[in-house]
């Protein structure tokens, strides 16, 4: 199911959006979906890094290296505040 979204942009943001659309040669909806996906992934990455830092501060033995831990957290958890 799709939902309709209406946004208002001032002239500056409209020009920026038009430049992005021209560079991507894609419709606004596709570009906005891509932007949302990228921001969502950024937020997920930040949440995993925060969780890894918190785990790193615990007195736990045998903590895996950060990349392994990040992959494990990614497979196990999603950010709870974005749904």
């Amino acid at each position: 199911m799709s939902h309709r979204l209406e946004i208002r942009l001032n002239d500056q943001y409209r020009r920026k959006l038009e430049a992005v659309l021209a560079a991507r040669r894609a419709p606004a909806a596709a570009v906005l979906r891509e932007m949302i996906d990228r921001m969502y992934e950024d937020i997920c990455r930040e949440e995993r890094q925060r969780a890894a830092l918190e785990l790193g501060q615990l007195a736990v033995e045998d903590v895996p290296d950060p990349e392994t831990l990040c992959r494990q957290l990614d497979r196990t958890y999603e950010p709870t505040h974005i749904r």
Side-chain angles (χ1 to χ4, degrees), residues 33-48:
R33 283 191 292 269
E34 181 183 342
M35 288 178 182
I36 290 168
D37 285 341
R38 285 183 182 186
M39 289 188 75
Y40 182 82
E41 288 303 316
D42 288 348
I43 291 169
C44 291
R45 187 177 312 104
E46 290 168 6
E47 287 288 314
R48 288 190 302 270

Side-chain angles (χ1 to χ4, degrees), residues 43 47 78-83:
I43 291 169
E47 287 288 314
E78 286 185 40
T80 56
H81 69 281
I82 358 177
R83 295 215 184 246

Side-chain angles (χ1 to χ4, degrees), residues 2 4 9 13 16 30 35-36 39-40 46 58-59 71 75-76 79 81:
S2 295
R4 185 173 180 84
L9 302 173
Y13 281 110
K16 288 179 180 180
M35 288 178 182
I36 290 168
M39 289 188 75
Y40 182 82
E46 290 168 6
L58 298 175
R71 283 193 303 274
R75 285 193 305 262
T76 307
H81 69 281

Side-chain angles (χ1 to χ4, degrees), residues 48 51-53 55-56 63-74:
R48 288 190 302 270
L53 287 173
L55 286 172
V63 176
D65 63 275
E67 287 184 24
T68 302
L69 182 58
C70 187
R71 283 193 303 274
Q72 290 172 346
L73 290 170
D74 189 30

